[in-house]
Amino acid sequence: MRSALVVGTGLVGTSVALALSERGVAVHLRDVDPVAVRTAASLGAGTVDGSADVVDLAIVAVPPALVGRILADIQAEGVARHYTDVASVKAGPQQDVIALECDTVHYVGGHPMAGAERSGPLAARANLFEGRTWVLTPTPDTETETLNTALELVALCGATPVLMGAAAHDRAVGLVSHTPHVVASLVAMRLEQAEERAVSLAGPGIRDLTRIAASDPQLWVDILSANAGVVADILEGLAADLDDAVAGLRAMASTDDAKRSGGAQIVEGMLRRGNTGRARIPGKHDGRPARYEAVAVLIGDQPGELAKLFTDADRAGINIEDVRLEHSTGQLAGLVFLSVAQGAAVGLEETLRARGWRLR
């Protein structure tokens, strides 16, 4: 791939453009928002001036409802040899593409499974897709060369390709992405009118659970409207589970021993099934569930403490899989949770203690 056109310079479109530009691809940018496209260009994502030649690949990075119309327009211009999109739902856009009689031979739908709470070009980064899954949804007549070009795009962005049907994709993301966002927002709503003292007790659990609720509401209205039926079905099942959980908890509050015991069994079964479901989430390296252990280190608020901790942790010769910080406002100390492969925690703890770190 030598040249590309990115239509839409929001978070994902600009991140794609940055990744391609870093790898030597000549990227041209388009957006109906002149400020957004100039901002993306100033970040090094590409050039605003149109290409005089036909580019190798056009990437449509607009909301799902606009994919079909934009694709039809740029195909009518003949701007590219091959076309793809990065919309977060696939069945609706694919139906629009077919209804508008777009060229489906040279088009393949796509969805990189990556994002951030912030939107817009200023939130973009070239490594947004590294190590992430990128779904491709070919039409029945997508030609091999077009699919190979899309696969090259995925590789240049550092992602892992997965081929799926459009409807199967939408059911999957409804479960693992769209429904969790609604649930996070519902939980965060409970904080809106909560007493200040209660909110001040918020720790990493509620922060992790509600993190994605900080995303742009209008963006998510667009996403959910394109997959509303699927998400509604999943939420309906979740509502039934919530009814069971409420019944179990009410029973646990009873003065009747038999009811309390039965309620506890219901709640324990729910929690155990949650453990089982959580364990199915793939690990970062091999696509299989990974189990990690966390080492909690007390750390001061002085400059350079994190760098010193990472340097000392490196002496253990153990790969740090993930890092999480827990720091309370107004406190002069915090906790750093270093996640390592199962069985590696003891060695890391010994090294850190020897270097004078306090572990929790």
Side-chain angles (χ1 to χ4, degrees), residues 161-182:
V162 173
L163 268 61
M164 298 179 72
H169 164 274
D170 288 359
R171 290 192 298 271
V173 296
L175 176 63
V176 303
S177 176
H178 302 165
T179 299
H181 193 95
V182 175

Side-chain angles (χ1 to χ4, degrees), residues 57-79:
L57 179 67
I59 301 109
V60 178
V62 300
L66 300 179
V67 168
R69 180 168 61 81
I70 297 299
L71 180 65
D73 289 345
I74 61 175
Q75 283 189 340
E77 292 180 46
V79 299

